[in-house]
Amino acid sequence: MIIPFPGLFYWRNRAKAVPLFLLVASSVLVVGTVATLTGSVLMSVYRANVKPYEAYSLVVSKQAGIPKQITNEIVACEHVEEMVPVLDSKVKVKGLFGTEGRTILAVPEDRADFCLARIGLRVKKGRLPYAGEDGIAIHEEIATAKGISIGDLVGREVNPDDYLWGMFQVTGILTGDVPYGIASLEYFKAQWALDTGELDFAYLVFPREGYRDELNSYLAMLPGNQVLVRNLGTAERQFRSESQNMDLLLWLVNFLVVAIISCAMGLLNTVHLLGRMKEYGLLAAIGLTPTQLVRRAFDEVLILAFAGYVLGIVASKGVLIYIAKWILGPRGIPVSPMGLRALMFSLPIPVMLSVFSFATIGRHLLRLDFISIMEGRD
Amino acid sequence: MITADNLSLSYGQGQTRCLAVNAVSIKVERGEFVMILGPSGSGKSSLLYLLSGLRSPSSGNVFYLGRDLSGMRASEVARIRYECFGFIFQQHFLVPYLTAVENVCMGRKDALKYRARVLLHQLHLAGKEKALPSELSYGQRQRVAVARALVHEPQVIFADEPTASVDSELAAEICDWLRQYCGAGHTCIMATHDSQLAKYASTVYSIRDGHLGSAT
């Protein structure tokens, strides 16, 4: 390795390196933390509103119940494994940036275990509600967010924000990827104002393994004036349209941070470089080419920028772990500190400021008049 | 080893044109210690820069081992400077954040550190290997600069007024080291204004207004 090693200048001149280093690290910390928190919100919305459709598609009547003929058509489809009549409702929980809805599925008691297994849920504590019982099993995140446990009551009469008719007693706590609640369809129907007679209002349609796309294609052909089909594709489209603004805003903030930091760091680097003209002049005089000089200067910036980046990411992870464990976790708001979002959103910071510094320093070094420096005329 | 043929260097244009080196031809052989003597502004430094490939001549040619430096790409000349030439300047140009050993190896591979330590020892700087320039006296810094020029065992040393800012004792020491180095089959070309040092050189040229006098 050629002396001086890249980074040695900043290592031995820490007073000059620390402001640059902290500038990068703090920017990465802020961008990384915000990116992870917004990512957690999006992930939470995704888990609640999109992920369940990986397991099933929902067919909802646009009238007072799904006609028998359509039900029979769905049953006859070779890609259908199981059709479960359902009514759904929502309870509200506090999210990171406001309240979010969480779905409560009311299914027949004898199909509840099947639905749970397919959606990826299991009973952690207590039990599922019996047929006709005013009970509810809720996901642990909902329970934590609402501060309730087995035996407590939930419903519109307890909290007017919840769209849950009547009062339900919590019979069990669920765990798994999808933050759902399960209630008794028999009880829901008894409470429901709309009488659909023998017809069901909606179905969860579970595809045979590996036939989800085929089933969705089939369901798409059902008469649109009678039923509404919601599947993974529609859920994802809606999710994307709702989430793209958040990401756009984040990239915009990121761009501004990157631009400001790049300018500041480029300027500071240029100031440091101007103070080292004799060093670079000497290197040029003894035979290092302008390209080699630029490369050396660039390596230094790169090392500093990425060291700051690593510190920023580590600090961001620390802050996020703290937030997840002590602030948001106890409120039932899941945060994933170890996601790649922080890395992805903050990576442009070291990259762009290296490029910016390279552009400013490179220009100086490529035009370096080392003779003037050696003759003391600089 | 180094031959210059009708070498000229001019600055400016028209009325302001100034000829720093005027039609200089010189031949330097291996093992020679050539001294170019002249007052300030006589063109000795400019001639040194031309001979070492630091500057390109306005006209004429410089040959190193028969190869025309003026016909080479800048990167090729830089390579020759890096591998075959060593430089001592009037100022020491030590890098303030590097130790003495690191300054000696400046721009060169880490592996030369051992030789750098030996050189520092020979130049009476034993125990100062890890000292920063700010911890060395002016004379000690200039010795480090000499070691830096010698560390890669260059074929030719170019010394531009290396004794200008040091006392006469150190000036004599520096010249003595350079003479010893030439004795080992290397070459040295030194520009100086101090005629007292001429006794160390094997060949002395005087220069005035860019014109090189005959060898003595």
Side-chain angles (χ1 to χ4, degrees):
Chain A
M1 202 181 264
I2 301 288
I3 292 174
F5 310 136
L8 193 62
F9 170 76
Y10 284 120
W11 180 250
R12 299 243 174 107
N13 293 278
R14 275 165 240 171
K16 288 177 180 167
V18 165
L20 291 172
F21 184 65
L22 290 182
L23 197 65
V24 180
S26 54
S27 318
V28 171
L29 167 66
V30 171
V31 171
T33 305
V34 172
T36 304
L37 289 177
T38 54
S40 296
V41 171
L42 293 176
M43 184 46 69
S44 159
V45 174
Y46 186 90
R47 284 169 57 225
N49 299 339
V50 181
K51 196 165 175 59
Y53 292 96
E54 290 175 3
Y56 62 76
S57 296
L58 180 67
V59 179
V60 186
S61 169
K62 282 187 173 175
Q63 297 157 3
I66 296 174
K68 278 281 178 208
Q69 181 201 344
I70 293 179
T71 307
N72 291 339
E73 271 184 50
I74 300 172
V75 170
C77 175
E78 58 182 334
H79 307 309
V80 174
E81 183 184 344
E82 185 83 42
M83 261 175 82
V84 178
V86 68
L87 285 175
D88 68 347
S89 188
K90 281 196 189 298
V91 291
K92 293 279 182 162
V93 293
K94 274 185 188 164
L96 197 55
F97 303 125
T99 55
E100 295 171 13
R102 293 287 180 265
T103 301
I104 306 298
L105 290 180
V107 293
E109 185 198 8
D110 60 346
R111 309 281 184 91
D113 283 329
F114 169 79
C115 291
L116 233 58
R118 289 298 299 266
I119 295 169
L121 290 169
R122 63 182 176 80
V123 178
K124 187 180 177 186
K125 252 163 62 180
R127 60 173 175 80
L128 291 174
Y130 300 129
E133 183 189 10
D134 57 348
I136 189 169
I138 53 170
H139 193 274
E140 55 189 343
E141 284 173 15
I142 303 175
T144 312
K146 292 177 93 61
I148 55 175
S149 58
I150 293 173
D152 289 336
L153 294 173
V154 62
R156 187 164 239 174
E157 290 178 26
V158 181
N159 183 351
D161 288 342
D162 291 339
Y163 302 123
L164 207 54
W165 301 282
M167 281 210 292
F168 292 76
Q169 189 169 36
V170 178
T171 61
I173 302 294
L174 306 177
T175 188
D177 251 5
V178 177
Y180 264 13
I182 297 286
S184 154
L185 180 66
E186 295 83 353
Y187 182 74
F188 252 54
K189 273 190 164 177
Q191 297 292 311
W192 208 23
L194 183 65
D195 183 12
T196 57
E198 288 188 357
L199 300 179
D200 288 306
F201 186 74
Y203 286 111
L204 301 176
V205 186
F206 292 91
R208 288 188 192 284
E209 200 174 327
Y211 288 93
R212 187 177 62 213
D213 292 343
E214 288 81 351
L215 173 65
N216 286 334
S217 301
Y218 181 83
L219 294 178
M221 290 188 295
L222 295 175
N225 59 338
Q226 296 189 50
V227 291
L228 176 82
V229 179
R230 189 168 166 77
N231 58 31
L232 187 62
T234 56
E236 277 183 338
R237 270 195 296 281
Q238 188 181 348
F239 174 75
R240 272 200 296 272
S241 75
E242 286 168 359
S243 64
Q244 68 183 10
N245 286 343
M246 193 183 275
D247 271 359
L248 185 69
L249 193 69
L250 200 57
W251 277 117
L252 206 67
V253 171
N254 204 17
F255 173 79
L256 285 175
V257 169
V258 167
I260 293 166
I261 302 294
S262 297
C263 288
M265 189 148 170
L267 208 67
L268 282 169
N269 263 320
T270 308
V271 169
H272 290 166
L273 179 85
L274 292 174
R276 297 169 69 193
M277 288 314 254
K278 285 184 178 173
E279 177 186 341
Y280 280 101
L282 179 70
L283 286 170
I286 66 171
L288 268 70
T289 61
T291 318
Q292 285 174 309
L293 296 183
V294 172
R295 170 83 196 275
R296 292 184 69 77
F298 185 56
D299 284 350
E300 282 193 352
V301 175
L302 213 61
I303 287 171
L304 191 69
F306 277 91
Y309 175 70
V310 169
L311 177 73
I313 288 292
V314 170
S316 164
K317 296 292 178 198
V319 168
L320 287 164
I321 287 169
Y322 178 83
I323 289 175
K325 191 166 182 186
W326 299 107
I327 300 175
L328 299 180
R331 295 189 207 168
I333 302 168
V335 175
S336 320
M338 292 303 165
L340 292 176
R341 234 173 115 84
L343 299 176
M344 187 180 80
F345 274 88
S346 53
L347 192 61
I349 295 174
V351 170
M352 286 312 294
L353 64 86
S354 298
V355 170
F356 190 83
S357 298
F358 174 69
T360 48
I361 293 171
R363 198 170 54 86
H364 275 99
L365 290 179
L366 290 172
R367 293 176 180 176
L368 186 70
D369 181 3
F370 61 88
I371 302 288
S372 297
I373 296 168
M374 295 294 105
E375 288 177 340
R377 291 191 277 112
D378 57 315
Chain B
M1 177 163 256
I2 291 183
T3 310
D5 185 18
N6 209 24
L7 210 53
S8 293
L9 178 69
S10 61
Y11 298 109
Q13 284 183 330
Q15 296 274 324
T16 59
R17 187 165 181 263
C18 160
L19 216 50
V21 176
N22 194 350
V24 168
S25 295
I26 186 173
K27 193 170 184 185
V28 181
E29 299 293 348
R30 187 185 296 273
E32 254 190 302
F33 185 177
V34 173
M35 204 168 278
I36 300 167
L37 268 175
S40 179
S42 59
K44 56 187 186 303
S45 292
S46 296
L47 177 59
L48 206 69
Y49 290 159
L50 289 175
L51 295 175
S52 61
L54 282 170
R55 268 197 197 289
S56 299
S58 306
S59 64
N61 304 84
V62 178
F63 298 89
Y64 172 66
L65 297 176
R67 296 176 68 199
D68 186 358
L69 295 185
S70 1
M72 289 182 190
R73 287 200 308 265
S75 59
E76 285 179 288
V77 178
R79 191 172 180 79
I80 287 176
R81 281 207 312 270
Y82 187 77
E83 289 175 356
C84 309
F85 298 167
F87 294 91
I88 308 170
F89 299 96
Q90 186 173 344
Q91 291 179 52
H92 51 72
F93 288 115
L94 296 191
V95 179
Y97 66 90
L98 297 182
T99 63
V101 167
E102 287 165 344
N103 263 297
V104 172
C105 297
M106 174 78 176
R108 309 207 176 267
K109 285 189 177 159
D110 191 30
L112 282 174
K113 271 187 175 173
Y114 175 74
R115 182 169 157 73
R117 285 194 190 94
V118 172
L119 274 171
L120 288 175
H121 196 267
Q122 288 172 354
L123 293 169
H124 313 300
L125 286 171
K128 296 284 184 186
E129 292 88 347
K130 290 185 177 173
L132 294 172
S134 58
E135 296 161 343
L136 299 172
S137 68
Y138 194 89
Q140 288 172 324
R141 290 179 209 172
Q142 196 64 352
R143 287 172 206 216
V144 174
V146 171
R148 184 178 61 204
L150 303 177
V151 73
H152 59 297
E153 292 190 78
Q155 296 292 314
V156 188
I157 296 272
F158 292 93
D160 182 18
E161 296 268 20
T163 59
S165 312
V166 298
D167 58 41
S168 55
E169 197 180 333
L170 181 57
E173 260 185 76
I174 290 172
C175 289
D176 203 35
W177 293 323
L178 293 177
R179 187 168 61 181
Q180 283 176 39
Y181 193 69
C182 292
H186 303 100
T187 305
C188 180
I189 304 174
M190 177 171 146
T192 181
H193 67 278
D194 188 354
S195 55
Q196 301 283 313
L197 301 174
K199 61 186 175 195
Y200 293 96
S202 55
T203 312
V204 179
Y205 291 92
S206 60
I207 188 167
R208 187 171 288 273
D209 299 329
H211 292 282
L212 193 70
S214 53
T216 55

